[in-house]
Amino acid sequence: MSDLALRLDVLKTYKLYVGGKFPRSESGRVYEVTDSKGQWLGNAPLGTRKDTRDAVVAARAAVKGWSGTTAYNRGQVLYRVAEMLQGRREQFAAEVAAAEGLGVKKAASLVDAAIDRWVWYAGWTDKVAQVAGNANPVAGPYFNLSTPEPTGVVGVLAPQAGHGFSFLGLVSVIAPVIATGNTAVVAAAAEAPLPALSLGEVLATSDLPGGVVNVLSGRTADIAPTLASHQDVNGLDLTGAVHQDGPGSPAALEAAAAETLKRVLRPAADPAAADWTQQPGTKRLTSFLETKTVWHPMGI
């Protein structure tokens, strides 16, 4: 028998993506990720409160540089990410198919939609100010201008797995946050975290600065309360909040976020009914923007 016949596959070890690096969970713990039939796909790191706090530190450190770059350059960086996603299309299609129990063609079409969605948001980086900003009429010799500015660090709870949206839904909540100059700490879907962890690998080899997107895997109900109560998190997207009693419920997270005056994007009343293939509009682009208004004399 040849040596090739005795060869063992090299199984992949998934890691968190924090600050542009790939640390293991500080607890050293992992959990099994299975496909729709219960077959083992891999081990994902079980993120903890310490991991979440570390991710917030990384996201805060990246705010100044990312928000300070020009909107045009942000668009170019995001477009580069889309190029790299296209190059790994087959990998993501396989991960989505396994996670959601979909056929190859259906999974590939959803990955294509996710790549298109990323390109769509890349195109908005230098246009959102024209939509969300304004020159305000005033009774006096003044210019009065309102311009949008990023909120800062945003905690994002990715949509939970189901209906084939483990990747398309993920892209749909991350891309608008960073397109407008914010940084993100993302809690991946607990049951289907592999597309999110693989996205971290794409981001690490793109032009996106480390810390702009940080990806955590594990139980959303464990990660979310730390994001909601953290004083250095400025906004919270509750799309993937678990609808059950306890500190990880949408109501509890919103109450915790209110203590530090976070902007909160509430989840849909029925998350299972969400159709991420629909055109997204500008709601998510403007959800984590602040409006800065400046008065300036005309010099008459």
Side-chain angles (χ1 to χ4, degrees):
M1 185 178 294
S2 69
D3 290 341
L4 291 177
L6 298 175
R7 182 181 179 277
L8 297 175
D9 288 337
V10 179
L11 301 178
K12 184 171 183 177
T13 300
Y14 288 87
K15 298 182 179 68
L16 306 175
Y17 179 58
V18 176
K21 300 178 181 179
F22 295 97
R24 291 178 170 82
S25 170
E26 61 87 23
S27 68
R29 298 170 65 193
V30 298
Y31 68 101
E32 288 189 357
V33 179
T34 60
D35 64 14
S36 59
K37 298 179 180 179
Q39 298 297 311
W40 184 86
L41 293 175
N43 291 329
L46 190 63
T48 65
R49 289 178 292 180
K50 175 64 165 56
D51 294 319
T52 307
R53 292 194 295 268
D54 289 345
V56 172
V57 171
R60 173 56 60 191
V63 167
K64 183 177 180 180
W66 183 241
S67 64
T69 194
T70 66
Y72 175 80
N73 283 343
R74 281 203 302 274
Q76 292 297 297
V77 171
L78 264 63
Y79 189 78
R80 173 60 178 159
V81 173
E83 290 178 339
M84 300 186 71
L85 289 174
Q86 183 68 42
R88 297 177 67 164
R89 174 179 179 270
E90 303 305 323
Q91 173 195 346
F92 281 100
E95 289 180 341
V96 170
E100 307 277 1
L102 301 174
V104 175
K105 289 185 178 180
K106 176 63 174 178
S109 69
L110 289 170
V111 171
D112 288 342
I115 297 170
D116 293 346
R117 182 68 45 84
W118 197 282
V119 172
W120 192 83
Y121 278 116
W124 268 101
T125 57
D126 57 356
K127 301 174 184 66
V128 66
Q130 301 170 50
V131 174
N134 197 27
N136 307 308
V138 294
Y142 303 99
F143 291 113
N144 183 253
L145 305 174
S146 293
T147 57
E149 294 188 343
T151 295
V153 177
V154 179
V156 179
L157 308 185
Q160 298 301 318
H163 308 284
F165 298 141
S166 58
F167 188 52
L168 177 57
L170 174 77
V171 166
S172 298
V173 295
I174 294 177
V177 169
I178 64 174
T180 49
N182 298 292
T183 62
V185 177
V186 182
E191 300 300 322
L194 303 190
L197 296 173
S198 293
L199 176 62
E201 296 174 1
V202 171
L203 299 179
T205 52
S206 71
D207 299 329
L208 193 74
V212 173
V213 174
N214 305 274
V215 181
L216 305 173
S217 60
R219 292 183 289 263
T220 302
D222 292 343
I223 296 171
T226 302
L227 288 174
S229 61
H230 202 297
Q231 295 188 11
D232 215 15
V233 175
N234 307 108
L236 191 63
D237 182 346
L238 296 178
T239 297
V242 180
H243 286 255
Q244 61 185 31
D245 294 334
S249 69
L253 294 172
E254 190 168 355
E259 295 184 4
T260 50
L261 304 180
K262 290 179 177 59
R263 285 180 172 269
V264 174
L265 184 60
R266 292 174 173 172
D270 182 9
D275 184 359
W276 293 99
T277 62
Q278 297 298 310
Q279 288 298 317
T282 59
K283 178 181 178 181
R284 289 186 175 276
L285 281 166
T286 57
S287 292
F288 298 107
L289 289 175
E290 306 284 348
T291 299
K292 177 181 179 181
T293 300
V294 177
W295 292 72
H296 194 282
M298 289 183 179
I300 298 176

